[in-house]
Amino acid sequence: MKTLITGATGFVGAAVLRELLKKKHKAKALVRKSSVLDNLKNLDVEIVYGDLKDRDSLKRCLKDCKYLFHVAADYRLWVPKPKEIYENNVTGTENLMEEALNSGIKKIIYTSSVAVLGKPIEGDIADEKTPVNADQMIGHYKKSKFLAEEKVKELYKTKKLPVVIVNPAAPVGPRDIKPTPTGKMILDAAMKKIPAYLDTGLNIVHVDDVAKGHLQAFNKGKFGDRYILGGENLTFKEILEMISNLCGHSPPKIRLPKKPLYPIAYLFEIFARLFNLKNPMLTVDMIRMAEKKMFFSSEKAKKELDYNYKSAKIALKDAIQWFIDKGYCRNIHLV
C-alpha cells in the first residue's frame, strides 16, 4: 500500500517526502497542474494530479493508499483576496479528510501550525494545552489554519478520523524555493536589507527536524493528539545577530517602536493593492503579530515521540547556504 502526501512541492512537504522515502514508504505526491516540481526532481515518487477543492480528484489520488500526510497549506501573510486562503486551508482540508474517511485511510498526519496556539496568561512560552480561541488569531493565515485544525479535531471526535496533528514552529533550511515568509526574512537579513528590528520573537527549527518529527508522530503519536515540533526560542534581535555573524557583517542596532509603524503599514498595503504586489515589505498583520513573542515548548513531542532538534544556528546556516548555492543572493559568503 502507498502513502499520499500533499504539499510535497513546497518547503516542509519536500522535507517530509524525503523522510518518507528514507523510511521506505511508497509515496504518491498530490500536485496541481500549476505546481513547480523542482523539489521532486530525482525522487522515487509517483506524481498524481489533483486539487484540494476538487473532491473527485482527491478520491482518485487516495486510491490504493493506506496512509496520508497532509502537509500542503497556503502560507501567506499578505492575502489580497482572503477567500482564497480559506478555500485552500479550510475547505481543502475538510474535503481531503472526508475523502480519506471514505477511502478507508488507516492513519493521517495533519500538519497544522504553532500559529493556532494561544498566548500564555503568564510568560511567553505556549504549549499544546495553552487556552485559545478564534478571536486570538491575527490575520487570515492564522485564522484559516485555526479553523482547519478545528475541522480536523471535529472529524476525529464525530467520525473517528485516524489523525495525529503536528504543529511546526518556524521552519528554516534548504529547498525553500518560494521562499516562505520566514525564509524571505532570513534572505533579507543575509543581504542586509533589514536595517532595524522589532521587539518580538520566533521559535526557529530546522526543516529536517520538522520532517523527522512528522515520521515520529506517525510511529508514536496518539490519534486525536497534537504535538509541537519546534526548536529554539529566539528574539528577533537574536535571530538577526545570528544571521549577521554567519554572513560576516554588523547586525541592525535600531529598535523600532511598533505603534508608529501602523500608518506606514497601511500605506504599504494600499500600494500593494494598487500595483498588485505579492509581498509588501510591511503589513498591519505583521505588526499585530509582532506584539507577542511566538515562543513554544516541544517538551510533549520530546517525551512522547523522542523528538529532538538541531540548534537554530545550524538551521539558519543551512538555509543561507542553500540560498547562496541556488543563486538567491550574491556576494555573500558564510564565515
Side-chain angles (χ1 to χ4, degrees):
M1 296 295 283
K2 299 178 181 179
T3 299
L4 182 68
I5 177 172
T6 70
T9 60
F11 179 41
V12 175
V16 174
L17 173 59
R18 281 165 169 74
E19 198 64 27
L20 282 169
L21 295 177
K22 284 181 186 177
K23 301 301 181 183
K24 307 302 180 184
H25 282 250
K26 293 181 180 179
K28 292 170 68 174
L30 188 160
V31 305
R32 292 176 296 181
K33 292 286 186 180
S34 59
S35 296
V36 177
L37 304 182
D38 290 5
N39 275 337
L40 303 185
K41 286 181 180 177
N42 304 316
L43 295 180
D44 184 18
V45 58
E46 178 185 349
I47 295 173
V48 289
Y49 290 94
D51 192 300
L52 293 174
K53 292 172 282 188
D54 179 355
R55 291 186 65 152
D56 287 339
S57 73
L58 298 179
K59 189 180 298 183
R60 291 194 301 271
C61 293
L62 285 163
K63 187 178 180 181
D64 299 327
C65 289
K66 187 175 183 180
Y67 308 120
L68 169 64
F69 282 70
H70 180 30
V71 190
D74 188 341
Y75 179 23
R76 290 180 289 165
L77 299 183
W78 165 246
V79 190
K81 297 178 181 179
K83 182 181 177 182
E84 294 177 351
I85 202 166
Y86 291 99
E87 287 179 343
N88 292 329
N89 289 344
V90 185
T91 306
T93 294
E94 186 175 17
N95 287 343
L96 183 58
M97 296 300 121
E98 291 279 7
E99 289 303 327
L101 281 167
N102 294 339
S103 300
I105 296 295
K106 299 300 181 186
K107 186 179 290 187
I108 301 166
I109 302 300
Y110 168 62
T111 309
S112 184
S113 168
V114 291
V116 309
L117 301 177
K119 177 177 173 56
I121 296 173
E122 295 182 4
D124 289 319
I125 300 176
D127 61 20
E128 291 86 351
K129 294 182 179 179
T130 302
V132 66
N133 59 61
D135 293 337
Q136 295 179 33
M137 298 297 107
I138 298 170
H140 296 295
Y141 171 69
K142 286 192 174 190
K143 288 177 184 175
S144 67
K145 289 297 288 184
F146 177 85
L147 293 172
E149 187 180 296
E150 289 299 300
K151 290 283 186 184
V152 170
K153 291 191 286 191
E154 179 187 336
L155 287 171
Y156 164 74
K157 292 176 182 176
T158 60
K159 297 187 179 181
K160 297 184 179 179
L161 183 75
V163 66
V164 180
I165 300 168
V166 292
N167 301 76
V172 303
R175 296 179 296 277
D176 193 357
I177 59 176
K178 278 190 174 180
T180 61
T182 309
K184 187 177 185 304
M185 177 270 292
I186 294 167
L187 187 57
D188 286 346
M191 297 173 69
K192 298 195 287 187
K193 291 184 177 180
I194 301 180
Y197 64 90
L198 296 174
D199 181 22
T200 189
L202 290 173
N203 183 291
I204 297 292
V205 60
H206 199 297
V207 69
D208 291 344
D209 293 327
V210 171
K212 291 174 183 175
H214 276 68
L215 271 292
Q216 289 164 323
F218 176 82
N219 290 324
K220 297 187 177 184
K222 299 174 184 175
F223 286 151
D225 265 14
R226 62 180 179 179
Y227 301 88
I228 294 171
L229 304 180
E232 284 188 59
N233 292 313
L234 297 170
T235 65
F236 191 36
K237 181 183 179 184
E238 289 171 333
I239 294 168
L240 295 178
E241 287 174 345
M242 201 171 284
I243 294 170
S244 296
N245 291 335
L246 286 167
C247 296
H249 57 69
S250 299
K253 304 291 186 183
I254 303 169
R255 174 180 163 182
L256 294 175
K258 298 185 184 80
K259 287 186 179 180
L261 293 177
Y262 278 98
I264 301 171
Y266 279 112
L267 286 175
F268 272 109
E269 290 190 8
I270 290 170
F271 277 107
R273 291 184 190 279
L274 285 174
F275 298 102
N276 196 29
L277 303 177
K278 292 184 178 180
N279 294 302
M281 186 178 295
L282 188 66
T283 69
V284 173
D285 284 342
M286 287 180 189
I287 304 171
R288 292 179 66 205
M289 283 188 282
E291 296 287 354
K292 77 166 187 174
K293 292 182 173 70
M294 298 286 286
F295 286 172
F296 304 95
S297 168
S298 299
E299 286 305 309
K300 180 179 178 181
K302 286 182 178 181
K303 291 176 181 177
E304 297 188 19
L305 308 181
D306 292 330
Y307 172 74
N308 214 329
Y309 53 83
K310 293 180 278 293
S311 70
K313 182 177 180 180
I314 291 173
L316 292 167
K317 184 176 182 180
D318 285 355
I320 297 167
Q321 188 62 61
W322 187 87
F323 284 134
I324 292 170
D325 293 344
K326 297 301 178 181
Y328 283 70
C329 46
R330 297 178 181 177
N331 303 319
I332 294 176
H333 304 281
L334 292 175
V335 296

